[in-house]
Amino acid sequence: MECAMAINSAKLRIRIESITDLPTLSTVVRKIMNEISNPSINAADIGMLIEQDPALAGKVLRLVNSAYYGFPKQIKSIQHAVVILGFSKIRTVVATTSVFDAFKTANGRGNLDMARFWQHSLGTAIAAKTTAEMFGMGHVAEDAFVGGLLHDIGKIVMDRFLNPVYAPVLGHALDRNITLLDAERELMGLTHALVGEWLIEKWRLPPVIVRMVGDHHKPNQTTERRELIAAVYMGDILARALGVGSGGDEYVPPVDPVVAANFRIDEDFLQNIIPKIIREMTKAVDFFSLISPIPLAKRPNDGKPPI
Amino acid sequence: MGQQTIDISQATSDMKLIKPVTNASGMVLMPEGIRLTPIFIDRLKKWGVQTVEVMTEKDESPAAPVPQADARASGPTRILEADRGFAQRITGDVAKRFVLCKDYPLMMQLRTIVAKHLFQHGPKGMLNTIRFDSAAEPRDGVRDGN
């Protein structure tokens, strides 16, 4: 049965902000995510912040001493680990582990398959980072990774904490064979991108992350950081094309021809980027097994394709 | 011409980078494997890059077989019987995902490229093989768009 809901976005924002058990980020994590953008920050300062969170410090050391990096000698100090990994990689580790942790322990149960949701989020992160590099934006590619990781966070907020509102939207998408984004626009008049933007603002993360989450479905309408936002936009489409996980629907939306023209996304670009993304995803399996907050169980390879 | 280091002024669009271009800090500005289109060559020049390590496309090894189900596969392909079912399953699943893109030639090109690479790559190593054990269970069963 079609639900014709007209949800006032101001009222929805008030409802969301009044949720008392909305996932939060720790002060340490928030400080790290913000300070890493500060040009005057140094490794010692970041190291001291990380040391305030023993679990996070343990993950950083485990990662830097793993076969993934393959350093010959054991690294024992956090500050040394920060220098080796670099600020951008530190932010990737902090963002990935803290977001997983925040929603792992949060209340609320919903309809989205969370395992497939996180697969899609990680796939988008990797694809967005690769796209940023292909755009010649290698120096901010890790920002694109974080944007890709968080791009659909608004869906979890609505699914877990406003499920009576969102469950009909999920059902509408299934019934009509449309994307969840289109179902949101039809029934709610606003999208998960806006809700995600509100959460990222509430978490007081840097403005670049707010914009990547808020604008990832409207890359033509943004005036700042166009390449990064377009990288997250493309990362989502390419992760869907490769069938990595599910953000609530599994359709591949067409790339906006204006975006394709502006960023010179043509067959050559796609021929280059697809094998690159697949290679990066293969490497990422090892990386995420080291920093995941919980044991990752590899699904037995039953010969089925990864789609 | 095989793999070699050349002056950027000699770069042409039938060449691919075989070594990434990095800045002084080691950050990747342009990854390996990228084909040097005129736009990328221009960008490298603007960055002040003087030499690049490249390979021309005719030096690359022959392309791996493309699934027969793809009507645009060029040249004869030979697919073992055991692979045929896998190829058809991939082609079918990929086609289902791209159902909204039928009127977009670029997306149809992407569909072909994806199907080819998923067939070549096989099921190992993709993120879908990772299971997040502590993911919250859905309230009334899985609903993920299928």
Side-chain angles (χ1 to χ4, degrees):
Chain A
M1 187 168 79
E2 187 170 323
C3 291
M5 289 188 194
I7 300 192
N8 181 284
S9 85
K11 284 185 182 168
L12 186 63
R13 182 163 193 170
I14 291 168
R15 267 181 87 173
I16 287 173
E17 296 204 340
S18 67
I19 298 168
T20 52
D21 54 354
L22 208 57
T24 56
L25 296 185
S26 70
T27 305
V28 167
V29 167
R30 192 170 59 245
K31 275 187 187 168
I32 292 171
M33 297 288 286
N34 278 287
E35 286 300 322
I36 273 178
S37 307
N38 181 348
S40 60
I41 198 73
N42 58 46
D45 294 337
I46 293 290
M48 281 198 298
L49 278 174
I50 292 173
E51 280 169 346
Q52 292 176 30
D53 184 334
L56 182 61
K59 283 193 188 73
V60 168
L61 284 175
R62 193 159 65 242
L63 181 66
V64 78
N65 285 307
S66 71
Y68 184 83
Y69 283 98
F71 293 113
K73 289 186 181 174
Q74 196 187 27
I75 291 144
K76 295 181 184 170
S77 88
I78 288 292
Q79 185 178 336
H80 192 184
V82 170
V83 169
I84 286 172
L85 293 176
F87 290 167
S88 291
K89 190 65 82 180
I90 288 287
R91 186 157 73 175
T92 297
V93 173
V94 170
T96 309
T97 55
S98 59
V99 170
F100 287 159
D101 279 340
F103 283 95
K104 175 170 70 83
T105 55
N107 292 325
R109 299 177 85 73
N111 297 92
L112 287 173
D113 180 336
M114 290 305 297
R116 300 197 70 210
F117 179 89
W118 287 125
Q119 287 161 0
H120 171 69
S121 295
L122 282 173
T124 300
I126 292 164
K129 181 181 170 192
T130 311
T131 303
E133 287 169 355
M134 294 276 290
F135 285 168
M137 303 292 288
H139 56 294
V140 287
E142 294 282 355
D143 286 353
F145 181 96
V146 175
L149 184 71
L150 296 172
H151 78 292
D152 272 350
I153 211 90
K155 289 180 185 172
I156 313 182
V157 171
M158 290 194 284
D159 183 49
R160 299 271 287 272
F161 299 94
L162 288 173
N163 190 267
V165 168
Y166 205 55
V169 179
L170 288 164
H172 184 68
L174 283 176
D175 291 342
R176 294 298 176 95
N177 295 315
I178 59 176
T179 63
L180 199 40
L181 177 71
D182 285 337
E184 288 170 354
R185 284 173 174 155
E186 283 182 23
L187 295 193
M188 296 174 64
L190 55 81
T191 72
H192 62 274
L194 185 60
V195 175
E197 180 181 326
W198 294 340
L199 181 67
I200 301 301
E201 280 179 335
K202 192 176 170 70
W203 281 352
R204 287 187 274 153
L205 291 182
V208 64
I209 302 179
V210 175
R211 289 278 47 85
M212 284 190 286
V213 171
D215 295 345
H216 74 273
H217 282 298
K218 43 179 181 174
N220 284 332
Q221 296 173 32
T222 186
T223 52
E224 299 173 25
R225 303 179 174 110
R226 292 174 65 243
E227 290 88 353
L228 271 182
I229 290 164
V232 177
Y233 167 80
M234 283 303 300
D236 179 35
I237 291 176
L238 294 171
R240 285 166 174 267
L242 287 165
V244 183
S246 169
D249 72 83
E250 290 172 45
Y251 295 112
V252 181
V255 174
D256 185 319
V258 174
V259 175
N262 284 342
F263 292 95
R264 296 179 173 92
I265 296 165
D266 56 13
E267 189 180 10
D268 274 356
F269 180 95
L270 299 173
Q271 292 276 17
N272 276 308
I273 201 171
I274 289 297
K276 224 174 265 308
I277 292 172
I278 291 176
R279 267 202 303 281
E280 290 301 316
M281 287 195 188
T282 307
K283 282 161 49 178
V285 171
D286 293 332
F287 180 84
F288 289 112
S289 69
L290 288 165
I291 66 169
S292 168
I294 38 87
L296 299 178
K298 289 195 181 159
R299 193 180 293 162
N301 180 1
D302 54 6
K304 287 184 183 171
I307 46 174
Chain B
M1 183 178 117
Q3 301 177 12
Q4 59 179 288
T5 302
I6 61 165
D7 192 90
I8 191 65
S9 60
Q10 296 176 312
T12 58
S13 53
D14 65 342
M15 293 176 183
K16 276 191 178 184
L17 283 181
I18 56 167
K19 197 175 169 187
V21 174
T22 57
N23 65 7
S25 307
M27 197 173 303
V28 173
L29 298 175
M30 202 172 280
E32 82 272 17
I34 208 169
R35 188 174 308 174
L36 291 179
T37 62
I39 290 162
F40 288 146
I41 294 170
D42 187 57
R43 197 169 287 170
L44 287 167
K45 287 176 181 169
K46 281 183 181 159
W47 284 337
V49 172
Q50 292 178 329
T51 59
V52 285
E53 283 189 51
V54 298
M55 175 174 65
T56 49
E57 288 206 299
K58 60 178 184 271
D59 296 320
E60 290 176 301
S61 45
V66 176
Q68 192 70 54
D70 180 357
R72 276 171 280 181
S74 57
T77 58
R78 209 174 126 257
I79 299 178
L80 298 175
E81 203 54 48
D83 290 335
R84 195 177 298 276
F86 181 50
Q88 285 173 345
R89 201 161 58 235
I90 284 192
T91 307
D93 287 345
V94 172
K96 205 164 71 169
R97 290 204 288 276
F98 276 81
V99 71
L100 301 177
C101 298
K102 286 176 182 162
D103 297 330
Y104 297 84
L106 181 67
M107 300 308 288
M108 292 295 97
Q109 288 166 347
L110 176 59
R111 186 183 76 171
T112 303
I113 293 164
V114 162
K116 177 181 116 177
H117 283 285
L118 287 178
F119 174 75
Q120 289 172 2
H121 184 80
K124 296 179 188 175
M126 295 287 281
L127 289 181
N128 283 354
T129 59
I130 297 178
R131 186 80 196 158
F132 293 84
D133 276 331
S134 75
E137 291 300 318
R139 192 160 61 183
D140 56 352
V142 169
R143 189 176 297 177
D144 58 357
N146 282 325

